[in-house]
Amino acid sequence: SSFDFGSGDGVPEPYITYSGGIAHIKAQEETNNAVDKYDSSQYEDAYKRLGYASHYIADVSNPLHTGMESQQGADYVATVIVGGQDRSNAIHYRHERHVKNKWADWFESEVEYEPLHNFNDSVKSEVNSLAGESQEDASTVFYDVLFKNKSDWKDSLRGLNEDRLAQTVSYTKGLIQHMEL
């Protein structure tokens, strides 16, 4: 089954089959593209494609990209649409801004020497598993940001964010090895 948007075009099959998202599929496609480019000595394009693949990994490593969609939508409506505030005040963006702002102070040195992830299974399968792990943290992130005062939620989520960022770094290093072999 597919949805009709009135133009005769339906929703692409991957969106229907994988209701949880298609980042894992896109990560595999871009990794395959990167390997093909690398094998053809098109190194600049190969690393560019690998960058696209790693972006999908970074996305699924963020718990608020893998869960609590309805709650995030409700928060966005209450904060931005009804509340008239800037979107940076919505929970999703507050959390992302905090991680970005603390990268150099907290996280960079903690994940710098992270070992590379060996892709024993397909990139698609392992990124899908990573998304599932990340999803398990979504409610913790959402409710900590929602209910705790600013300094408390930032401290309480430090380890969780460090773990997610470490996985992102590890998987990205693994992608490079995967492509170059």
Side-chain angles (χ1 to χ4, degrees), residues 108-143:
E108 186 174 23
S109 64
E110 295 298 322
V111 302
E112 182 177 8
Y113 300 106
E114 195 64 31
L116 64 84
H117 175 81
N118 288 308
F119 285 92
N120 297 319
D121 202 353
S122 69
V123 170
K124 175 182 164 183
S125 173
E126 294 196 38
V127 170
N128 193 46
S129 294
L130 177 62
E133 290 176 35
S134 178
Q135 187 179 39
E136 291 175 13
D137 292 333
S139 62
T140 299
V141 172
F142 184 85
Y143 290 119

PDB file of all heavy atoms in Angstrom, residues 108-143:
ATOM      1  N   GLU A 108      34.988  15.925  22.987  1.00  0.00           N
ATOM      2  CA  GLU A 108      36.018  15.678  21.976  1.00  0.00           C
ATOM      3  C   GLU A 108      37.155  14.812  22.505  1.00  0.00           C
ATOM      4  O   GLU A 108      37.529  13.810  21.886  1.00  0.00           O
ATOM      5  CB  GLU A 108      36.566  17.005  21.446  1.00  0.00           C
ATOM      6  CG  GLU A 108      37.524  16.840  20.305  1.00  0.00           C
ATOM      7  CD  GLU A 108      37.951  18.169  19.709  1.00  0.00           C
ATOM      8  OE1 GLU A 108      37.872  19.214  20.396  1.00  0.00           O
ATOM      9  OE2 GLU A 108      38.373  18.153  18.545  1.00  0.00           O
ATOM     10  N   SER A 109      37.701  15.159  23.650  1.00  0.00           N
ATOM     11  CA  SER A 109      38.823  14.388  24.180  1.00  0.00           C
ATOM     12  C   SER A 109      38.400  12.990  24.631  1.00  0.00           C
ATOM     13  O   SER A 109      39.208  12.066  24.655  1.00  0.00           O
ATOM     14  CB  SER A 109      39.477  15.128  25.350  1.00  0.00           C
ATOM     15  OG  SER A 109      38.569  15.257  26.422  1.00  0.00           O
ATOM     16  N   GLU A 110      37.126  12.817  24.961  1.00  0.00           N
ATOM     17  CA  GLU A 110      36.633  11.512  25.406  1.00  0.00           C
ATOM     18  C   GLU A 110      36.440  10.534  24.255  1.00  0.00           C
ATOM     19  O   GLU A 110      36.512   9.322  24.448  1.00  0.00           O
ATOM     20  CB  GLU A 110      35.309  11.671  26.163  1.00  0.00           C
ATOM     21  CG  GLU A 110      35.427  12.445  27.449  1.00  0.00           C
ATOM     22  CD  GLU A 110      36.342  11.769  28.463  1.00  0.00           C
ATOM     23  OE1 GLU A 110      36.321  10.524  28.554  1.00  0.00           O
ATOM     24  OE2 GLU A 110      37.096  12.479  29.142  1.00  0.00           O
ATOM     25  N   VAL A 111      36.179  11.043  23.060  1.00  0.00           N
ATOM     26  CA  VAL A 111      35.893  10.142  21.937  1.00  0.00           C
ATOM     27  C   VAL A 111      37.018  10.114  20.907  1.00  0.00           C
ATOM     28  O   VAL A 111      36.986   9.312  19.980  1.00  0.00           O
ATOM     29  CB  VAL A 111      34.559  10.516  21.241  1.00  0.00           C
ATOM     30  CG1 VAL A 111      33.415  10.463  22.230  1.00  0.00           C
ATOM     31  CG2 VAL A 111      34.632  11.862  20.560  1.00  0.00           C
ATOM     32  N   GLU A 112      38.026  10.948  21.098  1.00  0.00           N
ATOM     33  CA  GLU A 112      39.098  11.084  20.118  1.00  0.00           C
ATOM     34  C   GLU A 112      39.787   9.756  19.793  1.00  0.00           C
ATOM     35  O   GLU A 112      40.115   9.468  18.650  1.00  0.00           O
ATOM     36  CB  GLU A 112      40.119  12.102  20.642  1.00  0.00           C
ATOM     37  CG  GLU A 112      41.253  12.379  19.703  1.00  0.00           C
ATOM     38  CD  GLU A 112      42.194  13.446  20.255  1.00  0.00           C
ATOM     39  OE1 GLU A 112      42.042  13.863  21.425  1.00  0.00           O
ATOM     40  OE2 GLU A 112      43.077  13.839  19.498  1.00  0.00           O
ATOM     41  N   TYR A 113      40.026   8.933  20.793  1.00  0.00           N
ATOM     42  CA  TYR A 113      40.758   7.688  20.594  1.00  0.00           C
ATOM     43  C   TYR A 113      39.846   6.466  20.562  1.00  0.00           C
ATOM     44  O   TYR A 113      40.292   5.343  20.805  1.00  0.00           O
ATOM     45  CB  TYR A 113      41.829   7.544  21.684  1.00  0.00           C
ATOM     46  CG  TYR A 113      42.813   8.690  21.629  1.00  0.00           C
ATOM     47  CD1 TYR A 113      42.782   9.695  22.593  1.00  0.00           C
ATOM     48  CD2 TYR A 113      43.737   8.783  20.598  1.00  0.00           C
ATOM     49  CE1 TYR A 113      43.663  10.762  22.527  1.00  0.00           C
ATOM     50  CE2 TYR A 113      44.621   9.847  20.523  1.00  0.00           C
ATOM     51  CZ  TYR A 113      44.585  10.837  21.495  1.00  0.00           C
ATOM     52  OH  TYR A 113      45.449  11.892  21.410  1.00  0.00           O
ATOM     53  N   GLU A 114      38.615   6.698  20.259  1.00  0.00           N
ATOM     54  CA  GLU A 114      37.640   5.603  20.183  1.00  0.00           C
ATOM     55  C   GLU A 114      38.082   4.603  19.107  1.00  0.00           C
ATOM     56  O   GLU A 114      38.441   4.997  17.999  1.00  0.00           O
ATOM     57  CB  GLU A 114      36.269   6.191  19.836  1.00  0.00           C
ATOM     58  CG  GLU A 114      35.120   5.287  20.065  1.00  0.00           C
ATOM     59  CD  GLU A 114      34.926   4.925  21.526  1.00  0.00           C
ATOM     60  OE1 GLU A 114      35.241   5.717  22.425  1.00  0.00           O
ATOM     61  OE2 GLU A 114      34.457   3.801  21.766  1.00  0.00           O
ATOM     62  N   PRO A 115      38.102   3.313  19.422  1.00  0.00           N
ATOM     63  CA  PRO A 115      38.508   2.331  18.396  1.00  0.00           C
ATOM     64  C   PRO A 115      37.463   2.240  17.293  1.00  0.00           C
ATOM     65  O   PRO A 115      36.289   2.548  17.505  1.00  0.00           O
ATOM     66  CB  PRO A 115      38.582   1.021  19.184  1.00  0.00           C
ATOM     67  CG  PRO A 115      37.686   1.217  20.354  1.00  0.00           C
ATOM     68  CD  PRO A 115      37.726   2.690  20.678  1.00  0.00           C
ATOM     69  N   LEU A 116      37.898   1.814  16.138  1.00  0.00           N
ATOM     70  CA  LEU A 116      36.957   1.725  15.024  1.00  0.00           C
ATOM     71  C   LEU A 116      36.031   0.532  15.194  1.00  0.00           C
ATOM     72  O   LEU A 116      36.380  -0.469  15.809  1.00  0.00           O
ATOM     73  CB  LEU A 116      37.689   1.670  13.686  1.00  0.00           C
ATOM     74  CG  LEU A 116      38.598   0.497  13.374  1.00  0.00           C
ATOM     75  CD1 LEU A 116      37.830  -0.683  12.838  1.00  0.00           C
ATOM     76  CD2 LEU A 116      39.624   0.951  12.358  1.00  0.00           C
ATOM     77  N   HIS A 117      34.842   0.702  14.672  1.00  0.00           N
ATOM     78  CA  HIS A 117      33.820  -0.348  14.698  1.00  0.00           C
ATOM     79  C   HIS A 117      34.045  -1.258  13.494  1.00  0.00           C
ATOM     80  O   HIS A 117      34.148  -0.795  12.368  1.00  0.00           O
ATOM     81  CB  HIS A 117      32.425   0.287  14.631  1.00  0.00           C
ATOM     82  CG  HIS A 117      31.315  -0.705  14.542  1.00  0.00           C
ATOM     83  ND1 HIS A 117      30.822  -1.348  15.642  1.00  0.00           N
ATOM     84  CD2 HIS A 117      30.629  -1.178  13.482  1.00  0.00           C
ATOM     85  CE1 HIS A 117      29.858  -2.167  15.270  1.00  0.00           C
ATOM     86  NE2 HIS A 117      29.726  -2.082  13.961  1.00  0.00           N
ATOM     87  N   ASN A 118      34.154  -2.553  13.718  1.00  0.00           N
ATOM     88  CA  ASN A 118      34.252  -3.516  12.622  1.00  0.00           C
ATOM     89  C   ASN A 118      32.854  -3.881  12.165  1.00  0.00           C
ATOM     90  O   ASN A 118      32.047  -4.365  12.967  1.00  0.00           O
ATOM     91  CB  ASN A 118      35.004  -4.772  13.072  1.00  0.00           C
ATOM     92  CG  ASN A 118      36.473  -4.511  13.250  1.00  0.00           C
ATOM     93  OD1 ASN A 118      37.126  -3.987  12.354  1.00  0.00           O
ATOM     94  ND2 ASN A 118      36.989  -4.849  14.414  1.00  0.00           N
ATOM     95  N   PHE A 119      32.579  -3.637  10.917  1.00  0.00           N
ATOM     96  CA  PHE A 119      31.284  -3.988  10.361  1.00  0.00           C
ATOM     97  C   PHE A 119      31.298  -5.469   9.992  1.00  0.00           C
ATOM     98  O   PHE A 119      31.713  -5.849   8.909  1.00  0.00           O
ATOM     99  CB  PHE A 119      30.945  -3.114   9.146  1.00  0.00           C
ATOM    100  CG  PHE A 119      30.535  -1.728   9.535  1.00  0.00           C
ATOM    101  CD1 PHE A 119      31.475  -0.711   9.625  1.00  0.00           C
ATOM    102  CD2 PHE A 119      29.221  -1.445   9.837  1.00  0.00           C
ATOM    103  CE1 PHE A 119      31.101   0.567   9.999  1.00  0.00           C
ATOM    104  CE2 PHE A 119      28.836  -0.169  10.223  1.00  0.00           C
ATOM    105  CZ  PHE A 119      29.779   0.838  10.300  1.00  0.00           C
ATOM    106  N   ASN A 120      30.865  -6.306  10.931  1.00  0.00           N
ATOM    107  CA  ASN A 120      30.815  -7.745  10.697  1.00  0.00           C
ATOM    108  C   ASN A 120      29.591  -8.137   9.886  1.00  0.00           C
ATOM    109  O   ASN A 120      29.564  -9.154   9.232  1.00  0.00           O
ATOM    110  CB  ASN A 120      30.811  -8.498  12.036  1.00  0.00           C
ATOM    111  CG  ASN A 120      32.085  -8.242  12.805  1.00  0.00           C
ATOM    112  OD1 ASN A 120      33.163  -8.222  12.234  1.00  0.00           O
ATOM    113  ND2 ASN A 120      31.957  -8.026  14.105  1.00  0.00           N
ATOM    114  N   ASP A 121      28.575  -7.310   9.971  1.00  0.00           N
ATOM    115  CA  ASP A 121      27.342  -7.510   9.225  1.00  0.00           C
ATOM    116  C   ASP A 121      27.242  -6.350   8.235  1.00  0.00           C
ATOM    117  O   ASP A 121      28.156  -5.543   8.121  1.00  0.00           O
ATOM    118  CB  ASP A 121      26.154  -7.531  10.200  1.00  0.00           C
ATOM    119  CG  ASP A 121      24.929  -8.250   9.637  1.00  0.00           C
ATOM    120  OD1 ASP A 121      24.939  -8.615   8.441  1.00  0.00           O
ATOM    121  OD2 ASP A 121      23.965  -8.440  10.387  1.00  0.00           O
ATOM    122  N   SER A 122      26.147  -6.220   7.552  1.00  0.00           N
ATOM    123  CA  SER A 122      25.994  -5.113   6.610  1.00  0.00           C
ATOM    124  C   SER A 122      25.912  -3.788   7.370  1.00  0.00           C
ATOM    125  O   SER A 122      25.496  -3.742   8.533  1.00  0.00           O
ATOM    126  CB  SER A 122      24.728  -5.304   5.770  1.00  0.00           C
ATOM    127  OG  SER A 122      23.570  -5.145   6.574  1.00  0.00           O
ATOM    128  N   VAL A 123      26.313  -2.720   6.723  1.00  0.00           N
ATOM    129  CA  VAL A 123      26.189  -1.383   7.302  1.00  0.00           C
ATOM    130  C   VAL A 123      24.723  -1.134   7.641  1.00  0.00           C
ATOM    131  O   VAL A 123      24.404  -0.647   8.719  1.00  0.00           O
ATOM    132  CB  VAL A 123      26.743  -0.313   6.325  1.00  0.00           C
ATOM    133  CG1 VAL A 123      26.394   1.090   6.787  1.00  0.00           C
ATOM    134  CG2 VAL A 123      28.255  -0.477   6.154  1.00  0.00           C
ATOM    135  N   LYS A 124      23.844  -1.506   6.729  1.00  0.00           N
ATOM    136  CA  LYS A 124      22.399  -1.319   6.934  1.00  0.00           C
ATOM    137  C   LYS A 124      21.934  -1.973   8.229  1.00  0.00           C
ATOM    138  O   LYS A 124      21.258  -1.345   9.049  1.00  0.00           O
ATOM    139  CB  LYS A 124      21.648  -1.908   5.737  1.00  0.00           C
ATOM    140  CG  LYS A 124      20.152  -1.908   5.857  1.00  0.00           C
ATOM    141  CD  LYS A 124      19.554  -2.572   4.622  1.00  0.00           C
ATOM    142  CE  LYS A 124      18.131  -2.966   4.820  1.00  0.00           C
ATOM    143  NZ  LYS A 124      17.579  -3.673   3.652  1.00  0.00           N
ATOM    144  N   SER A 125      22.310  -3.212   8.428  1.00  0.00           N
ATOM    145  CA  SER A 125      21.885  -3.957   9.611  1.00  0.00           C
ATOM    146  C   SER A 125      22.464  -3.352  10.887  1.00  0.00           C
ATOM    147  O   SER A 125      21.754  -3.180  11.889  1.00  0.00           O
ATOM    148  CB  SER A 125      22.312  -5.420   9.473  1.00  0.00           C
ATOM    149  OG  SER A 125      22.052  -6.117  10.658  1.00  0.00           O
ATOM    150  N   GLU A 126      23.732  -3.009  10.860  1.00  0.00           N
ATOM    151  CA  GLU A 126      24.368  -2.505  12.076  1.00  0.00           C
ATOM    152  C   GLU A 126      23.927  -1.084  12.411  1.00  0.00           C
ATOM    153  O   GLU A 126      23.792  -0.742  13.586  1.00  0.00           O
ATOM    154  CB  GLU A 126      25.888  -2.627  11.949  1.00  0.00           C
ATOM    155  CG  GLU A 126      26.280  -4.102  11.908  1.00  0.00           C
ATOM    156  CD  GLU A 126      27.736  -4.346  12.154  1.00  0.00           C
ATOM    157  OE1 GLU A 126      28.341  -3.654  12.987  1.00  0.00           O
ATOM    158  OE2 GLU A 126      28.278  -5.258  11.507  1.00  0.00           O
ATOM    159  N   VAL A 127      23.664  -0.270  11.400  1.00  0.00           N
ATOM    160  CA  VAL A 127      23.144   1.078  11.670  1.00  0.00           C
ATOM    161  C   VAL A 127      21.712   0.984  12.194  1.00  0.00           C
ATOM    162  O   VAL A 127      21.318   1.744  13.085  1.00  0.00           O
ATOM    163  CB  VAL A 127      23.251   1.979  10.419  1.00  0.00           C
ATOM    164  CG1 VAL A 127      22.511   3.294  10.605  1.00  0.00           C
ATOM    165  CG2 VAL A 127      24.718   2.241  10.087  1.00  0.00           C
ATOM    166  N   ASN A 128      20.948   0.035  11.690  1.00  0.00           N
ATOM    167  CA  ASN A 128      19.599  -0.176  12.211  1.00  0.00           C
ATOM    168  C   ASN A 128      19.648  -0.580  13.685  1.00  0.00           C
ATOM    169  O   ASN A 128      18.855  -0.107  14.499  1.00  0.00           O
ATOM    170  CB  ASN A 128      18.869  -1.227  11.381  1.00  0.00           C
ATOM    171  CG  ASN A 128      17.395  -1.265  11.676  1.00  0.00           C
ATOM    172  OD1 ASN A 128      16.738  -0.238  11.751  1.00  0.00           O
ATOM    173  ND2 ASN A 128      16.861  -2.454  11.852  1.00  0.00           N
ATOM    174  N   SER A 129      20.597  -1.437  14.040  1.00  0.00           N
ATOM    175  CA  SER A 129      20.768  -1.824  15.448  1.00  0.00           C
ATOM    176  C   SER A 129      21.191  -0.631  16.300  1.00  0.00           C
ATOM    177  O   SER A 129      20.706  -0.460  17.423  1.00  0.00           O
ATOM    178  CB  SER A 129      21.812  -2.932  15.575  1.00  0.00           C
ATOM    179  OG  SER A 129      21.351  -4.099  14.966  1.00  0.00           O
ATOM    180  N   LEU A 130      22.083   0.189  15.762  1.00  0.00           N
ATOM    181  CA  LEU A 130      22.508   1.392  16.473  1.00  0.00           C
ATOM    182  C   LEU A 130      21.320   2.316  16.730  1.00  0.00           C
ATOM    183  O   LEU A 130      21.169   2.867  17.823  1.00  0.00           O
ATOM    184  CB  LEU A 130      23.590   2.125  15.670  1.00  0.00           C
ATOM    185  CG  LEU A 130      24.096   3.441  16.229  1.00  0.00           C
ATOM    186  CD1 LEU A 130      24.761   3.247  17.588  1.00  0.00           C
ATOM    187  CD2 LEU A 130      25.066   4.089  15.240  1.00  0.00           C
ATOM    188  N   ALA A 131      20.455   2.451  15.748  1.00  0.00           N
ATOM    189  CA  ALA A 131      19.258   3.285  15.918  1.00  0.00           C
ATOM    190  C   ALA A 131      18.370   2.729  17.030  1.00  0.00           C
ATOM    191  O   ALA A 131      17.802   3.495  17.817  1.00  0.00           O
ATOM    192  CB  ALA A 131      18.476   3.365  14.607  1.00  0.00           C
ATOM    193  N   GLY A 132      18.254   1.419  17.094  1.00  0.00           N
ATOM    194  CA  GLY A 132      17.465   0.800  18.159  1.00  0.00           C
ATOM    195  C   GLY A 132      18.044   1.081  19.533  1.00  0.00           C
ATOM    196  O   GLY A 132      17.307   1.379  20.482  1.00  0.00           O
ATOM    197  N   GLU A 133      19.373   1.010  19.660  1.00  0.00           N
ATOM    198  CA  GLU A 133      20.019   1.335  20.932  1.00  0.00           C
ATOM    199  C   GLU A 133      19.786   2.796  21.296  1.00  0.00           C
ATOM    200  O   GLU A 133      19.488   3.114  22.452  1.00  0.00           O
ATOM    201  CB  GLU A 133      21.527   1.092  20.841  1.00  0.00           C
ATOM    202  CG  GLU A 133      21.931  -0.352  20.748  1.00  0.00           C
ATOM    203  CD  GLU A 133      23.437  -0.486  20.558  1.00  0.00           C
ATOM    204  OE1 GLU A 133      24.195   0.320  21.119  1.00  0.00           O
ATOM    205  OE2 GLU A 133      23.844  -1.417  19.825  1.00  0.00           O
ATOM    206  N   SER A 134      19.928   3.651  20.323  1.00  0.00           N
ATOM    207  CA  SER A 134      19.740   5.081  20.552  1.00  0.00           C
ATOM    208  C   SER A 134      18.298   5.381  20.971  1.00  0.00           C
ATOM    209  O   SER A 134      18.052   6.200  21.861  1.00  0.00           O
ATOM    210  CB  SER A 134      20.093   5.845  19.271  1.00  0.00           C
ATOM    211  OG  SER A 134      19.892   7.213  19.420  1.00  0.00           O
ATOM    212  N   GLN A 135      17.369   4.690  20.344  1.00  0.00           N
ATOM    213  CA  GLN A 135      15.955   4.899  20.654  1.00  0.00           C
ATOM    214  C   GLN A 135      15.648   4.591  22.123  1.00  0.00           C
ATOM    215  O   GLN A 135      14.795   5.233  22.724  1.00  0.00           O
ATOM    216  CB  GLN A 135      15.086   4.057  19.735  1.00  0.00           C
ATOM    217  CG  GLN A 135      13.607   4.337  19.879  1.00  0.00           C
ATOM    218  CD  GLN A 135      12.785   3.503  18.927  1.00  0.00           C
ATOM    219  OE1 GLN A 135      13.084   2.327  18.705  1.00  0.00           O
ATOM    220  NE2 GLN A 135      11.763   4.110  18.360  1.00  0.00           N
ATOM    221  N   GLU A 136      16.380   3.646  22.684  1.00  0.00           N
ATOM    222  CA  GLU A 136      16.172   3.297  24.087  1.00  0.00           C
ATOM    223  C   GLU A 136      16.485   4.469  25.023  1.00  0.00           C
ATOM    224  O   GLU A 136      15.990   4.507  26.148  1.00  0.00           O
ATOM    225  CB  GLU A 136      17.023   2.086  24.461  1.00  0.00           C
ATOM    226  CG  GLU A 136      16.566   0.803  23.795  1.00  0.00           C
ATOM    227  CD  GLU A 136      17.481  -0.375  24.078  1.00  0.00           C
ATOM    228  OE1 GLU A 136      18.338  -0.277  24.978  1.00  0.00           O
ATOM    229  OE2 GLU A 136      17.330  -1.397  23.388  1.00  0.00           O
ATOM    230  N   ASP A 137      17.293   5.416  24.567  1.00  0.00           N
ATOM    231  CA  ASP A 137      17.652   6.582  25.385  1.00  0.00           C
ATOM    232  C   ASP A 137      16.770   7.802  25.135  1.00  0.00           C
ATOM    233  O   ASP A 137      16.918   8.826  25.806  1.00  0.00           O
ATOM    234  CB  ASP A 137      19.108   6.991  25.114  1.00  0.00           C
ATOM    235  CG  ASP A 137      20.101   5.965  25.618  1.00  0.00           C
ATOM    236  OD1 ASP A 137      19.777   5.242  26.584  1.00  0.00           O
ATOM    237  OD2 ASP A 137      21.208   5.895  25.049  1.00  0.00           O
ATOM    238  N   ALA A 138      15.882   7.715  24.154  1.00  0.00           N
ATOM    239  CA  ALA A 138      15.105   8.886  23.747  1.00  0.00           C
ATOM    240  C   ALA A 138      14.256   9.455  24.884  1.00  0.00           C
ATOM    241  O   ALA A 138      14.233  10.668  25.100  1.00  0.00           O
ATOM    242  CB  ALA A 138      14.233   8.556  22.539  1.00  0.00           C
ATOM    243  N   SER A 139      13.570   8.614  25.625  1.00  0.00           N
ATOM    244  CA  SER A 139      12.715   9.136  26.689  1.00  0.00           C
ATOM    245  C   SER A 139      13.547   9.752  27.808  1.00  0.00           C
ATOM    246  O   SER A 139      13.157  10.773  28.382  1.00  0.00           O
ATOM    247  CB  SER A 139      11.780   8.048  27.233  1.00  0.00           C
ATOM    248  OG  SER A 139      12.513   7.001  27.808  1.00  0.00           O
ATOM    249  N   THR A 140      14.703   9.172  28.103  1.00  0.00           N
ATOM    250  CA  THR A 140      15.577   9.753  29.131  1.00  0.00           C
ATOM    251  C   THR A 140      15.990  11.165  28.730  1.00  0.00           C
ATOM    252  O   THR A 140      15.900  12.100  29.534  1.00  0.00           O
ATOM    253  CB  THR A 140      16.836   8.875  29.333  1.00  0.00           C
ATOM    254  OG1 THR A 140      16.417   7.587  29.762  1.00  0.00           O
ATOM    255  CG2 THR A 140      17.783   9.491  30.346  1.00  0.00           C
ATOM    256  N   VAL A 141      16.439  11.311  27.499  1.00  0.00           N
ATOM    257  CA  VAL A 141      16.858  12.637  27.028  1.00  0.00           C
ATOM    258  C   VAL A 141      15.673  13.600  27.062  1.00  0.00           C
ATOM    259  O   VAL A 141      15.766  14.704  27.617  1.00  0.00           O
ATOM    260  CB  VAL A 141      17.458  12.570  25.604  1.00  0.00           C
ATOM    261  CG1 VAL A 141      17.706  13.959  25.047  1.00  0.00           C
ATOM    262  CG2 VAL A 141      18.742  11.744  25.607  1.00  0.00           C
ATOM    263  N   PHE A 142      14.561  13.185  26.486  1.00  0.00           N
ATOM    264  CA  PHE A 142      13.404  14.078  26.397  1.00  0.00           C
ATOM    265  C   PHE A 142      12.944  14.540  27.782  1.00  0.00           C
ATOM    266  O   PHE A 142      12.789  15.738  28.028  1.00  0.00           O
ATOM    267  CB  PHE A 142      12.256  13.385  25.656  1.00  0.00           C
ATOM    268  CG  PHE A 142      11.071  14.275  25.447  1.00  0.00           C
ATOM    269  CD1 PHE A 142      11.007  15.125  24.361  1.00  0.00           C
ATOM    270  CD2 PHE A 142      10.020  14.281  26.355  1.00  0.00           C
ATOM    271  CE1 PHE A 142       9.920  15.971  24.174  1.00  0.00           C
ATOM    272  CE2 PHE A 142       8.919  15.114  26.179  1.00  0.00           C
ATOM    273  CZ  PHE A 142       8.879  15.961  25.080  1.00  0.00           C
ATOM    274  N   TYR A 143      12.744  13.593  28.683  1.00  0.00           N
ATOM    275  CA  TYR A 143      12.195  13.957  29.994  1.00  0.00           C
ATOM    276  C   TYR A 143      13.216  14.654  30.891  1.00  0.00           C
ATOM    277  O   TYR A 143      12.836  15.508  31.704  1.00  0.00           O
ATOM    278  CB  TYR A 143      11.568  12.744  30.678  1.00  0.00           C
ATOM    279  CG  TYR A 143      10.293  12.327  29.977  1.00  0.00           C
ATOM    280  CD1 TYR A 143      10.170  11.065  29.405  1.00  0.00           C
ATOM    281  CD2 TYR A 143       9.227  13.211  29.850  1.00  0.00           C
ATOM    282  CE1 TYR A 143       9.007  10.692  28.741  1.00  0.00           C
ATOM    283  CE2 TYR A 143       8.064  12.853  29.191  1.00  0.00           C
ATOM    284  CZ  TYR A 143       7.962  11.594  28.637  1.00  0.00           C
ATOM    285  OH  TYR A 143       6.809  11.234  27.979  1.00  0.00           O
TER     286      TYR A 143
END
